[in-house]
Coordinates of all heavy atoms in Angstrom, one line a residue:
M1362 N -17.9 7.4 -5.8 CA -16.7 7.6 -5.0 C -16.7 6.7 -3.8 O -17.8 6.4 -3.3 CB -16.8 9.1 -4.6 CG -15.6 9.5 -3.8 SD -15.3 11.3 -3.5 CE -16.6 11.7 -2.4
S1363 N -15.6 6.4 -3.3 CA -15.5 5.5 -2.1 C -15.8 6.2 -0.9 O -15.4 7.4 -0.8 CB -14.1 4.9 -2.2 OG -13.9 4.1 -3.3
K1364 N -16.3 5.5 0.1 CA -16.5 6.2 1.4 C -15.3 6.1 2.3 O -14.7 5.1 2.4 CB -17.7 5.3 2.1 CG -17.9 5.9 3.5 CD -18.9 4.8 4.2 CE -19.1 5.2 5.7 NZ -17.9 4.8 6.5
R1365 N -15.0 7.3 2.8 CA -13.8 7.4 3.7 C -14.1 6.7 5.0 O -15.2 6.9 5.6 CB -13.5 8.9 3.9 CG -12.2 9.1 4.7 CD -11.9 10.5 4.9 NE -12.9 11.2 5.7 CZ -13.1 12.5 5.7 NH1 -12.5 13.3 5.0 NH2 -14.0 12.9 6.5
L1366 N -13.2 5.9 5.5 CA -13.3 5.2 6.7 C -13.0 6.1 7.9 O -12.1 7.0 7.8 CB -12.4 3.9 6.7 CG -12.8 3.0 5.6 CD1 -11.7 1.8 5.6 CD2 -14.1 2.3 5.8
E1367 N -13.6 5.8 9.0 CA -13.3 6.6 10.3 C -12.0 6.0 10.9 O -11.7 4.8 10.6 CB -14.4 6.4 11.2 CG -15.8 7.0 10.8 CD -15.6 8.6 10.7 OE1 -14.9 9.2 11.5 OE2 -16.3 9.1 9.7
P1368 N -11.3 6.8 11.6 CA -10.1 6.3 12.3 C -10.2 4.9 13.0 O -9.4 4.1 13.0 CB -9.6 7.4 13.2 CG -10.1 8.7 12.5 CD -11.4 8.2 11.9
S1369 N -11.3 4.8 13.7 CA -11.6 3.6 14.5 C -11.7 2.4 13.5 O -11.2 1.3 13.8 CB -12.8 3.7 15.4 OG -13.9 3.9 14.6
E1370 N -12.4 2.6 12.4 CA -12.5 1.5 11.4 C -11.2 1.2 10.8 O -10.9 0.0 10.5 CB -13.5 2.0 10.3 CG -14.9 2.1 10.7 CD -15.8 2.8 9.6 OE1 -15.5 4.0 9.2 OE2 -16.7 2.0 9.0
I1371 N -10.4 2.1 10.5 CA -9.0 2.0 10.0 C -8.2 1.1 10.9 O -7.6 0.2 10.5 CB -8.3 3.3 9.7 CG1 -9.1 4.0 8.5 CG2 -6.9 3.1 9.3 CD1 -8.8 5.4 8.3
E1372 N -8.2 1.5 12.2 CA -7.3 0.8 13.1 C -7.8 -0.6 13.3 O -7.0 -1.6 13.4 CB -7.4 1.5 14.5 CG -6.7 2.9 14.5 CD -5.2 2.8 14.3 OE1 -4.6 1.7 14.4 OE2 -4.6 3.8 13.9
E1373 N -9.1 -0.8 13.2 CA -9.7 -2.2 13.4 C -9.2 -3.0 12.1 O -8.8 -4.2 12.3 CB -11.2 -2.1 13.4 CG -11.9 -3.4 13.6 CD -13.4 -3.2 13.7 OE1 -13.8 -2.4 14.5 OE2 -14.1 -3.9 12.9
R1374 N -9.3 -2.5 11.0 CA -8.8 -3.2 9.8 C -7.3 -3.4 9.7 O -6.9 -4.5 9.2 CB -9.3 -2.4 8.5 CG -10.7 -2.2 8.3 CD -11.4 -3.5 7.9 NE -10.7 -4.2 6.9 CZ -10.9 -4.1 5.5 NH1 -11.7 -3.2 5.1 NH2 -10.2 -4.8 4.7
L1375 N -6.6 -2.5 10.3 CA -5.1 -2.6 10.3 C -4.7 -3.9 11.1 O -3.6 -4.4 10.9 CB -4.4 -1.4 10.8 CG -4.4 -0.2 9.9 CD1 -3.8 1.0 10.6 CD2 -3.5 -0.6 8.7
A1376 N -5.5 -4.3 12.0 CA -5.2 -5.4 12.9 C -5.0 -6.7 12.0 O -4.4 -7.7 12.4 CB -6.2 -5.6 14.0
Q1377 N -5.6 -6.6 10.8 CA -5.6 -7.8 10.0 C -4.4 -7.7 8.9 O -4.2 -8.6 8.1 CB -6.9 -7.9 9.2 CG -8.1 -8.0 10.1 CD -9.4 -7.8 9.3 OE1 -9.5 -8.0 8.1 NE2 -10.4 -7.4 10.1
L1378 N -3.7 -6.7 9.0 CA -2.5 -6.4 8.0 C -1.3 -6.2 8.9 O -1.1 -5.2 9.5 CB -2.8 -5.2 7.1 CG -3.8 -5.4 6.1 CD1 -4.0 -4.0 5.4 CD2 -3.4 -6.4 5.0
Q1379 N -0.4 -7.2 8.9 CA 0.8 -7.1 9.6 C 1.8 -6.0 9.1 O 2.1 -6.0 7.9 CB 1.6 -8.4 9.7 CG 2.8 -8.5 10.6 CD 3.4 -9.9 10.7 OE1 2.9 -10.8 10.0 NE2 4.3 -10.0 11.5
G1380 N 2.2 -5.1 10.0 CA 3.2 -4.2 9.7 C 2.7 -2.8 9.1 O 3.5 -1.9 8.9
W1381 N 1.4 -2.7 8.8 CA 0.9 -1.5 8.3 C 0.5 -0.6 9.4 O 0.0 -1.0 10.5 CB -0.4 -1.8 7.4 CG 0.0 -2.4 6.1 CD1 0.2 -3.8 5.9 CD2 0.2 -1.8 4.8 NE1 0.5 -4.0 4.5 CE2 0.5 -2.8 3.9 CE3 0.0 -0.5 4.4 CZ2 0.7 -2.5 2.5 CZ3 0.3 -0.2 3.1 CH2 0.6 -1.2 2.2
E1382 N 0.6 0.7 9.2 CA 0.3 1.7 10.2 C -0.6 2.8 9.6 O -0.5 3.0 8.4 CB 1.6 2.4 10.9 CG 2.5 1.4 11.5 CD 3.7 2.2 11.9 OE1 4.6 2.4 11.1 OE2 3.8 2.6 13.1
F1383 N -1.3 3.5 10.5 CA -2.1 4.6 10.1 C -1.4 5.9 10.5 O -1.2 6.2 11.7 CB -3.5 4.6 10.7 CG -4.5 5.7 10.3 CD1 -4.6 6.0 9.0 CD2 -5.2 6.4 11.3 CE1 -5.5 7.1 8.6 CE2 -6.0 7.4 10.9 CZ -6.2 7.7 9.6
V1384 N -0.9 6.7 9.6 CA 0.0 7.9 9.8 C -0.5 9.0 8.9 O -0.4 8.7 7.6 CB 1.5 7.6 9.7 CG1 2.3 8.8 10.0 CG2 1.9 6.4 10.6
D1385 N -0.8 10.2 9.3 CA -1.0 11.3 8.5 C -2.0 11.0 7.4 O -1.9 11.4 6.2 CB 0.3 11.9 7.9 CG 1.2 12.4 8.9 OD1 0.8 12.9 10.0 OD2 2.4 12.4 8.7
N1386 N -3.1 10.3 7.7 CA -4.2 10.1 6.8 C -3.9 9.0 5.7 O -4.5 9.1 4.6 CB -4.7 11.4 6.2 CG -6.3 11.3 5.9 OD1 -7.0 10.5 6.6 ND2 -6.7 12.1 4.9
F1387 N -2.8 8.3 5.9 CA -2.5 7.2 5.0 C -2.3 5.9 5.8 O -2.0 5.9 7.0 CB -1.1 7.5 4.4 CG -1.1 8.5 3.3 CD1 -0.8 9.9 3.7 CD2 -1.2 8.3 2.0 CE1 -0.8 10.9 2.8 CE2 -1.2 9.3 1.1 CZ -1.0 10.6 1.5
I1388 N -2.4 4.7 5.2 CA -2.0 3.5 5.7 C -0.6 3.3 5.1 O -0.4 3.5 3.8 CB -2.9 2.3 5.6 CG1 -3.4 2.0 4.2 CG2 -4.1 2.5 6.4 CD1 -4.1 0.7 4.0
I1389 N 0.4 2.9 5.9 CA 1.8 3.0 5.4 C 2.5 1.7 5.9 O 2.3 1.2 7.0 CB 2.5 4.1 6.0 CG1 1.9 5.5 5.6 CG2 4.0 4.1 5.7 CD1 2.5 6.7 6.3
K1390 N 3.4 1.2 5.0 CA 4.3 0.1 5.3 C 5.5 0.2 4.6 O 5.6 0.7 3.4 CB 3.6 -1.3 5.0 CG 4.5 -2.4 5.5 CD 3.8 -3.8 5.3 CE 4.7 -4.9 5.9 NZ 4.0 -6.2 5.8
S1391 N 6.6 -0.1 5.2 CA 8.0 -0.1 4.7 C 8.5 -1.5 4.4 O 8.3 -2.4 5.3 CB 8.9 0.7 5.6 OG 10.2 0.6 5.1
F1392 N 9.0 -1.7 3.2 CA 9.6 -3.1 2.9 C 11.1 -2.9 2.6 O 11.5 -1.9 2.0 CB 8.9 -3.6 1.6 CG 7.4 -3.8 1.8 CD1 6.5 -2.7 1.5 CD2 6.8 -5.0 2.1 CE1 5.1 -2.9 1.6 CE2 5.5 -5.1 2.3 CZ 4.6 -4.1 2.0
T1393 N 11.8 -3.9 3.0 CA 13.2 -3.9 2.7 C 13.6 -5.2 1.9 O 13.1 -6.3 2.2 CB 14.1 -3.9 4.0 OG1 13.7 -2.8 4.8 CG2 15.5 -3.9 3.7
F1394 N 14.3 -5.0 0.8 CA 14.7 -6.0 -0.1 C 16.2 -6.3 0.0 O 16.9 -5.5 0.5 CB 14.2 -5.7 -1.5 CG 12.8 -5.5 -1.6 CD1 12.2 -4.2 -1.4 CD2 11.9 -6.5 -1.8 CE1 10.9 -4.0 -1.4 CE2 10.5 -6.4 -1.9 CZ 10.0 -5.1 -1.7
K1395 N 16.6 -7.3 -0.8 CA 18.1 -7.6 -0.8 C 18.9 -6.5 -1.5 O 20.0 -6.1 -1.1 CB 18.3 -8.9 -1.6 CG 19.7 -9.4 -1.7 CD 19.8 -10.7 -2.4 CE 20.0 -10.4 -3.9 NZ 20.3 -11.5 -4.7
D1396 N 18.3 -5.9 -2.5 CA 19.0 -4.9 -3.3 C 18.0 -4.1 -4.1 O 16.8 -4.3 -4.0 CB 20.1 -5.4 -4.2 CG 19.6 -6.6 -5.2 OD1 18.4 -6.5 -5.5 OD2 20.4 -7.4 -5.5
F1397 N 18.5 -3.1 -4.9 CA 17.7 -2.2 -5.7 C 16.9 -3.0 -6.7 O 15.7 -2.7 -6.9 CB 18.5 -1.1 -6.4 CG 17.7 -0.2 -7.2 CD1 16.9 0.7 -6.8 CD2 17.8 -0.4 -8.6 CE1 16.2 1.6 -7.6 CE2 17.1 0.4 -9.5 CZ 16.2 1.4 -9.0
K1398 N 17.5 -3.9 -7.3 CA 16.9 -4.7 -8.4 C 15.6 -5.4 -7.8 O 14.6 -5.4 -8.5 CB 17.9 -5.7 -8.9 CG 17.4 -6.6 -10.1 CD 18.5 -7.4 -10.6 CE 17.9 -8.5 -11.5 NZ 19.0 -9.4 -12.0
E1399 N 15.7 -6.0 -6.6 CA 14.6 -6.7 -6.0 C 13.5 -5.7 -5.7 O 12.3 -6.0 -5.8 CB 15.0 -7.5 -4.8 CG 15.5 -8.8 -5.1 CD 15.6 -9.7 -3.9 OE1 15.0 -9.4 -2.8 OE2 16.2 -10.8 -3.9
A1400 N 13.9 -4.5 -5.2 CA 12.9 -3.5 -4.8 C 12.2 -3.0 -6.0 O 11.0 -2.9 -6.0 CB 13.6 -2.3 -4.1
F1401 N 12.9 -2.8 -7.1 CA 12.3 -2.3 -8.3 C 11.5 -3.3 -9.0 O 10.3 -3.0 -9.4 CB 13.4 -1.8 -9.3 CG 12.8 -1.0 -10.4 CD1 12.6 0.4 -10.3 CD2 12.5 -1.5 -11.7 CE1 12.0 1.2 -11.2 CE2 12.0 -0.8 -12.7 CZ 11.7 0.6 -12.5
S1402 N 11.8 -4.6 -8.9 CA 11.0 -5.7 -9.4 C 9.7 -5.7 -8.6 O 8.6 -5.9 -9.3 CB 11.8 -7.0 -9.2 OG 11.0 -8.1 -9.6
A1403 N 9.7 -5.5 -7.3 CA 8.5 -5.6 -6.5 C 7.6 -4.4 -6.9 O 6.4 -4.6 -7.0 CB 8.8 -5.5 -5.0
M1404 N 8.2 -3.2 -7.1 CA 7.4 -2.1 -7.5 C 6.7 -2.3 -8.9 O 5.5 -2.0 -9.1 CB 8.3 -0.8 -7.6 CG 8.8 -0.4 -6.3 SD 10.0 1.0 -6.4 CE 8.8 2.3 -6.9
T1405 N 7.4 -3.0 -9.8 CA 6.8 -3.3 -11.1 C 5.6 -4.3 -10.9 O 4.6 -4.0 -11.5 CB 7.9 -3.9 -12.0 OG1 8.9 -3.0 -12.1 CG2 7.3 -4.2 -13.4
R1406 N 5.8 -5.3 -10.1 CA 4.6 -6.2 -9.9 C 3.5 -5.5 -9.3 O 2.3 -5.7 -9.7 CB 5.1 -7.4 -8.9 CG 6.1 -8.3 -9.7 CD 6.8 -9.3 -8.7 NE 5.7 -10.3 -8.4 CZ 5.9 -11.1 -7.3 NH1 7.0 -11.1 -6.6 NH2 4.9 -11.9 -7.0
I1407 N 3.8 -4.6 -8.3 CA 2.7 -3.9 -7.7 C 2.0 -3.0 -8.7 O 0.8 -2.8 -8.8 CB 3.2 -3.1 -6.5 CG1 3.7 -4.0 -5.4 CG2 2.2 -2.1 -6.0 CD1 4.5 -3.3 -4.3
A1408 N 2.8 -2.3 -9.5 CA 2.3 -1.4 -10.5 C 1.2 -2.0 -11.4 O 0.2 -1.4 -11.8 CB 3.4 -0.8 -11.4
F1409 N 1.5 -3.3 -11.8 CA 0.5 -3.9 -12.7 C -0.8 -4.2 -12.0 O -1.9 -4.0 -12.6 CB 1.0 -5.3 -13.2 CG 2.0 -5.2 -14.3 CD1 3.4 -5.3 -14.1 CD2 1.5 -4.9 -15.6 CE1 4.3 -5.1 -15.2 CE2 2.4 -4.8 -16.7 CZ 3.8 -4.8 -16.4
E1410 N -0.8 -4.5 -10.7 CA -2.0 -4.7 -9.9 C -2.7 -3.3 -9.7 O -3.9 -3.3 -9.8 CB -1.7 -5.4 -8.6 CG -1.2 -6.8 -8.7 CD -2.1 -7.7 -9.5 OE1 -3.3 -7.7 -9.3 OE2 -1.6 -8.4 -10.4
C1411 N -1.9 -2.3 -9.5 CA -2.5 -1.0 -9.3 C -3.3 -0.6 -10.6 O -4.4 0.0 -10.5 CB -1.5 0.1 -9.0 SG -0.7 -0.2 -7.4
E1412 N -2.7 -0.8 -11.7 CA -3.4 -0.5 -12.9 C -4.7 -1.3 -13.1 O -5.7 -0.6 -13.5 CB -2.5 -0.7 -14.1 CG -1.4 0.3 -14.4 CD -2.0 1.7 -14.8 OE1 -2.8 1.7 -15.7 OE2 -1.8 2.6 -14.0
K1413 N -4.7 -2.5 -12.7 CA -5.9 -3.3 -12.8 C -7.0 -2.7 -11.9 O -8.2 -2.7 -12.3 CB -5.7 -4.7 -12.4 CG -5.0 -5.6 -13.3 CD -4.9 -7.0 -12.8 CE -3.9 -7.8 -13.5 NZ -3.7 -9.1 -12.8
M1414 N -6.6 -2.2 -10.8 CA -7.5 -1.6 -9.8 C -7.8 -0.1 -10.1 O -8.7 0.5 -9.4 CB -7.0 -1.8 -8.4 CG -6.8 -3.3 -8.0 SD -6.0 -3.3 -6.3 CE -7.3 -2.7 -5.3
N1415 N -7.0 0.4 -10.9 CA -7.1 2.0 -11.1 C -7.0 2.7 -9.8 O -7.8 3.6 -9.5 CB -8.4 2.3 -11.9 CG -8.3 3.8 -12.4 OD1 -7.2 4.3 -12.7 ND2 -9.5 4.5 -12.5
H1416 N -6.0 2.2 -9.1 CA -5.8 2.8 -7.7 C -4.3 2.8 -7.5 O -3.6 1.8 -7.5 CB -6.5 2.0 -6.7 CG -6.5 2.6 -5.3 ND1 -6.9 3.9 -5.1 CD2 -6.1 2.2 -4.1 CE1 -6.8 4.2 -3.8 NE2 -6.4 3.2 -3.2
H1417 N -3.7 3.9 -7.3 CA -2.2 4.1 -7.3 C -1.7 4.6 -6.1 O -2.2 5.6 -5.5 CB -1.8 5.0 -8.5 CG -2.4 4.5 -9.8 ND1 -3.6 4.9 -10.3 CD2 -2.0 3.6 -10.7 CE1 -3.9 4.3 -11.4 NE2 -2.9 3.5 -11.7
P1418 N -0.6 4.0 -5.6 CA 0.0 4.4 -4.3 C 0.9 5.6 -4.4 O 1.4 6.0 -5.5 CB 0.9 3.2 -3.9 CG 1.3 2.6 -5.2 CD 0.1 2.9 -6.1
N1419 N 1.1 6.2 -3.2 CA 2.3 7.2 -3.1 C 3.4 6.2 -2.6 O 3.1 5.5 -1.7 CB 2.0 8.2 -2.0 CG 0.9 9.2 -2.5 OD1 0.2 9.0 -3.4 ND2 0.7 10.2 -1.7
W1420 N 4.5 6.3 -3.2 CA 5.6 5.4 -2.7 C 6.9 6.1 -3.0 O 7.1 7.0 -3.8 CB 5.5 4.0 -3.3 CG 5.5 3.9 -4.8 CD1 5.8 4.8 -5.8 CD2 5.2 2.7 -5.6 NE1 5.7 4.3 -7.1 CE2 5.3 3.0 -6.9 CE3 4.8 1.4 -5.2 CZ2 5.1 2.0 -7.9 CZ3 4.6 0.5 -6.1 CH2 4.7 0.8 -7.5
E1421 N 7.9 5.6 -2.2 CA 9.3 6.0 -2.3 C 10.2 4.9 -2.2 O 10.1 4.0 -1.4 CB 9.5 7.0 -1.1 CG 10.9 7.6 -1.0 CD 11.1 8.5 0.1 OE1 10.2 9.4 0.4 OE2 12.1 8.2 0.9
N1422 N 11.1 4.9 -3.2 CA 12.2 3.9 -3.2 C 13.6 4.5 -3.1 O 13.9 5.4 -3.8 CB 12.1 3.1 -4.6 CG 13.2 2.2 -4.9 OD1 13.9 2.5 -5.9 ND2 13.5 1.3 -4.0
V1423 N 14.2 4.0 -2.1 CA 15.7 4.4 -1.9 C 16.5 3.0 -1.8 O 16.2 2.3 -0.8 CB 15.9 5.3 -0.7 CG1 17.4 5.6 -0.6 CG2 15.1 6.6 -0.8
Y1424 N 17.3 2.8 -2.8 CA 18.1 1.6 -2.9 C 17.2 0.3 -2.7 O 16.5 -0.1 -3.5 CB 19.3 1.6 -2.0 CG 20.2 0.4 -2.1 CD1 20.7 0.0 -3.3 CD2 20.4 -0.4 -1.0 CE1 21.4 -1.2 -3.5 CE2 21.2 -1.5 -1.1 CZ 21.7 -2.0 -2.4 OH 22.4 -3.1 -2.5
N1425 N 17.3 -0.3 -1.5 CA 16.6 -1.6 -1.3 C 15.4 -1.4 -0.4 O 14.8 -2.4 0.1 CB 17.6 -2.6 -0.6 CG 17.9 -2.2 0.8 OD1 18.0 -1.1 1.2 ND2 18.2 -3.3 1.6
T1426 N 14.9 -0.2 -0.2 CA 13.7 0.1 0.6 C 12.6 0.7 -0.2 O 12.8 1.5 -1.0 CB 14.1 1.1 1.8 OG1 15.2 0.5 2.5 CG2 13.0 1.3 2.7
L1427 N 11.4 0.2 0.1 CA 10.2 0.7 -0.6 C 9.2 1.1 0.5 O 8.9 0.2 1.4 CB 9.6 -0.4 -1.5 CG 8.3 -0.1 -2.1 CD1 8.3 1.2 -3.0 CD2 7.7 -1.3 -2.9
V1428 N 8.8 2.3 0.6 CA 7.7 2.8 1.5 C 6.5 3.0 0.7 O 6.5 3.8 -0.3 CB 8.2 4.1 2.3 CG1 7.0 4.5 3.2 CG2 9.4 3.9 3.0
I1429 N 5.4 2.4 1.1 CA 4.2 2.5 0.4 C 3.1 3.2 1.2 O 3.0 2.8 2.4 CB 3.6 1.2 0.0 CG1 4.6 0.4 -1.0 CG2 2.2 1.3 -0.7 CD1 4.2 -1.0 -1.4
K1430 N 2.5 4.2 0.7 CA 1.5 5.1 1.4 C 0.2 5.0 0.6 O 0.2 5.4 -0.5 CB 2.0 6.5 1.6 CG 3.3 6.6 2.4 CD 3.9 8.0 2.3 CE 3.0 9.1 2.9 NZ 3.6 10.4 3.0
L1431 N -0.9 4.6 1.3 CA -2.1 4.4 0.5 C -3.2 5.3 1.2 O -3.4 5.3 2.4 CB -2.6 3.0 0.6 CG -1.7 1.9 0.0 CD1 -2.3 0.5 0.2 CD2 -1.4 2.1 -1.4
N1432 N -3.9 6.1 0.3 CA -5.2 6.6 0.7 C -5.9 6.9 -0.7 O -5.3 6.8 -1.7 CB -5.1 7.8 1.6 CG -4.6 9.1 0.9 OD1 -4.5 9.2 -0.3 ND2 -4.5 10.2 1.7
T1433 N -7.2 7.2 -0.6 CA -8.0 7.4 -1.8 C -8.1 8.9 -1.9 O -8.9 9.6 -1.2 CB -9.3 6.7 -1.7 OG1 -9.1 5.3 -1.4 CG2 -10.1 6.9 -2.9
H1434 N -7.4 9.5 -2.9 CA -7.4 11.0 -3.0 C -8.7 11.6 -3.1 O -9.0 12.6 -2.5 CB -6.4 11.4 -4.1 CG -5.1 10.8 -4.0 ND1 -4.1 11.3 -3.1 CD2 -4.4 9.7 -4.7 CE1 -3.0 10.6 -3.1 NE2 -3.2 9.6 -4.1
D1435 N -9.6 11.1 -4.0 CA -10.9 11.7 -4.2 C -11.8 11.6 -3.0 O -12.8 12.3 -2.9 CB -11.5 11.3 -5.5 CG -11.8 9.8 -5.6 OD1 -11.4 9.0 -4.6 OD2 -12.5 9.3 -6.5
A1436 N -11.5 10.7 -2.1 CA -12.3 10.6 -0.9 C -11.7 11.3 0.3 O -12.3 11.5 1.3 CB -12.5 9.0 -0.5
G1437 N -10.5 11.8 0.1 CA -9.9 12.6 1.1 C -9.4 11.8 2.3 O -9.3 12.3 3.5
G1438 N -9.2 10.5 2.1 CA -8.7 9.6 3.2 C -8.6 8.2 2.8 O -8.7 7.8 1.6
V1439 N -8.6 7.4 3.8 CA -8.4 5.9 3.7 C -9.8 5.3 3.4 O -10.7 5.6 4.1 CB -7.7 5.2 4.8 CG1 -7.7 3.7 4.7 CG2 -6.3 5.8 5.0
T1440 N -9.9 4.4 2.4 CA -11.2 3.8 2.1 C -10.9 2.2 1.9 O -9.7 1.8 2.1 CB -11.7 4.3 0.7 OG1 -10.9 3.9 -0.4 CG2 -11.9 5.8 0.7
E1441 N -12.0 1.6 1.6 CA -11.9 0.1 1.4 C -10.9 -0.2 0.2 O -10.2 -1.2 0.3 CB -13.3 -0.4 1.1 CG -13.4 -1.9 1.1 CD -13.0 -2.6 2.5 OE1 -13.4 -2.0 3.5 OE2 -12.4 -3.6 2.4
K1442 N -10.9 0.7 -0.7 CA -9.9 0.4 -1.8 C -8.5 0.3 -1.4 O -7.7 -0.4 -2.0 CB -10.1 1.6 -2.9 CG -11.3 1.6 -3.7 CD -11.4 2.9 -4.6 CE -10.4 2.8 -5.8 NZ -10.6 3.9 -6.8
D1443 N -8.2 1.1 -0.4 CA -6.8 1.1 0.1 C -6.5 -0.3 0.8 O -5.4 -0.8 0.6 CB -6.5 2.3 1.1 CG -6.8 3.6 0.3 OD1 -6.1 3.9 -0.6 OD2 -7.7 4.3 0.8
F1444 N -7.4 -0.7 1.5 CA -7.2 -2.0 2.2 C -7.2 -3.2 1.2 O -6.4 -4.1 1.3 CB -8.3 -2.3 3.3 CG -8.0 -1.5 4.5 CD1 -8.6 -0.3 4.8 CD2 -7.0 -2.0 5.4 CE1 -8.3 0.4 5.9 CE2 -6.7 -1.3 6.5 CZ -7.3 -0.1 6.8
K1445 N -8.0 -3.1 0.1 CA -7.9 -4.0 -0.9 C -6.5 -4.1 -1.6 O -6.0 -5.1 -1.8 CB -9.0 -3.8 -2.0 CG -9.1 -4.9 -3.0 CD -10.3 -4.7 -4.0 CE -10.3 -5.8 -5.0 NZ -11.4 -5.6 -5.9
L1446 N -6.0 -2.9 -1.9 CA -4.7 -2.8 -2.5 C -3.6 -3.3 -1.5 O -2.7 -4.0 -1.9 CB -4.4 -1.4 -3.0 CG -3.1 -1.2 -3.7 CD1 -2.8 -2.2 -4.8 CD2 -2.9 0.3 -4.1
A1447 N -3.7 -2.9 -0.3 CA -2.8 -3.4 0.7 C -2.7 -4.9 0.8 O -1.7 -5.5 0.8 CB -3.0 -2.8 2.1
Q1448 N -3.9 -5.5 0.8 CA -4.0 -7.0 0.8 C -3.4 -7.6 -0.5 O -2.6 -8.6 -0.4 CB -5.4 -7.4 1.0 CG -5.6 -8.9 1.2 CD -4.7 -9.4 2.4 OE1 -5.0 -8.9 3.5 NE2 -3.9 -10.3 2.2
T1449 N -3.6 -7.0 -1.6 CA -3.0 -7.4 -2.8 C -1.4 -7.3 -2.8 O -0.8 -8.3 -3.2 CB -3.5 -6.6 -4.1 OG1 -5.0 -6.8 -4.1 CG2 -2.9 -7.0 -5.4
I1450 N -1.0 -6.2 -2.2 CA 0.5 -6.1 -2.0 C 1.0 -7.2 -1.2 O 2.0 -7.8 -1.5 CB 0.8 -4.7 -1.5 CG1 0.5 -3.6 -2.6 CG2 2.3 -4.6 -1.0 CD1 0.5 -2.2 -2.1
E1451 N 0.3 -7.5 -0.1 CA 0.8 -8.5 0.8 C 0.8 -9.9 0.1 O 1.7 -10.7 0.3 CB -0.1 -8.6 2.1 CG 0.0 -7.4 3.0 CD 1.5 -7.3 3.6 OE1 2.0 -8.4 4.0 OE2 1.9 -6.2 3.7
T1452 N -0.2 -10.1 -0.7 CA -0.2 -11.4 -1.5 C 0.9 -11.5 -2.5 O 1.5 -12.6 -2.6 CB -1.6 -11.4 -2.2 OG1 -2.6 -11.4 -1.2 CG2 -1.7 -12.7 -3.0
I1453 N 1.3 -10.4 -3.1 CA 2.5 -10.4 -4.0 C 3.7 -10.8 -3.2 O 4.5 -11.6 -3.7 CB 2.7 -9.0 -4.6 CG1 1.5 -8.7 -5.7 CG2 4.0 -8.8 -5.3 CD1 1.5 -7.3 -6.1
F1454 N 3.9 -10.3 -2.0 CA 5.1 -10.6 -1.3 C 5.1 -12.0 -0.7 O 6.2 -12.5 -0.3 CB 5.3 -9.5 -0.3 CG 5.7 -8.2 -0.9 CD1 5.2 -7.0 -0.3 CD2 6.6 -8.1 -1.9 CE1 5.5 -5.8 -0.9 CE2 6.9 -6.9 -2.5 CZ 6.3 -5.7 -2.0
T1455 N 3.9 -12.6 -0.5 CA 3.9 -14.0 0.1 C 3.8 -15.0 -1.0 O 3.8 -16.2 -0.7 CB 2.8 -14.1 1.1 OG1 1.5 -13.8 0.4 CG2 3.0 -13.2 2.2
S1456 N 3.7 -14.6 -2.3 CA 3.6 -15.7 -3.4 C 5.0 -16.0 -3.9 O 5.9 -15.4 -3.7 CB 2.7 -15.2 -4.4 OG 3.2 -14.0 -5.1

């Protein structure tokens, strides 16, 4: 099982991820796309990476907006796995 990070560790790590916030025991970021098709395409790309990592986000999609919330359920909070997935998501959007 992954080790849950302390809030100070989380805030320190968030400084390295633009636009992500620590809210209600999740790291969260909202993305806006041109339209629903682009948002859904991004979700599909992320889903493949999540499957590889066996780590799955809580997310919500409404039209062109995608909100991603990450924590590690079995650890009861944010872990290194969440930051690794967040970085992977950022890489998807910058490639």
Side-chain angles (χ1 to χ4, degrees):
M1362 184 166 74
S1363 299
K1364 176 190 170 287
R1365 186 176 68 199
L1366 299 174
E1367 295 297 323
S1369 60
E1370 295 173 293
I1371 294 166
E1372 293 296 342
E1373 187 177 304
R1374 295 291 311 275
L1375 285 174
Q1377 301 166 26
L1378 287 172
Q1379 186 173 4
W1381 289 82
E1382 299 177 276
F1383 182 49
V1384 179
D1385 296 331
N1386 212 27
F1387 288 89
I1388 57 172
I1389 300 173
K1390 186 170 181 179
S1391 179
F1392 299 89
T1393 303
F1394 300 90
K1395 184 179 90 177
D1396 54 27
F1397 176 76
K1398 184 177 166 182
E1399 274 193 14
F1401 195 83
S1402 175
M1404 291 175 72
T1405 301
R1406 292 173 66 196
I1407 293 167
F1409 281 102
E1410 296 304 316
C1411 292
E1412 278 298 301
K1413 285 182 196 173
M1414 296 174 70
N1415 193 29
H1416 190 52
H1417 305 91
N1419 291 10
W1420 56 14
E1421 180 179 310
N1422 166 240
V1423 177
Y1424 181 56
N1425 69 333
T1426 304
L1427 173 60
V1428 178
I1429 300 175
K1430 298 167 65 174
L1431 303 176
N1432 78 6
T1433 305
H1434 303 288
D1435 61 353
V1439 176
T1440 69
E1441 189 61 37
K1442 287 176 74 170
D1443 301 300
F1444 281 99
K1445 184 175 180 182
L1446 181 52
Q1448 187 58 57
T1449 298
I1450 291 167
E1451 290 297 321
T1452 301
I1453 288 169
F1454 292 137
T1455 58
S1456 62

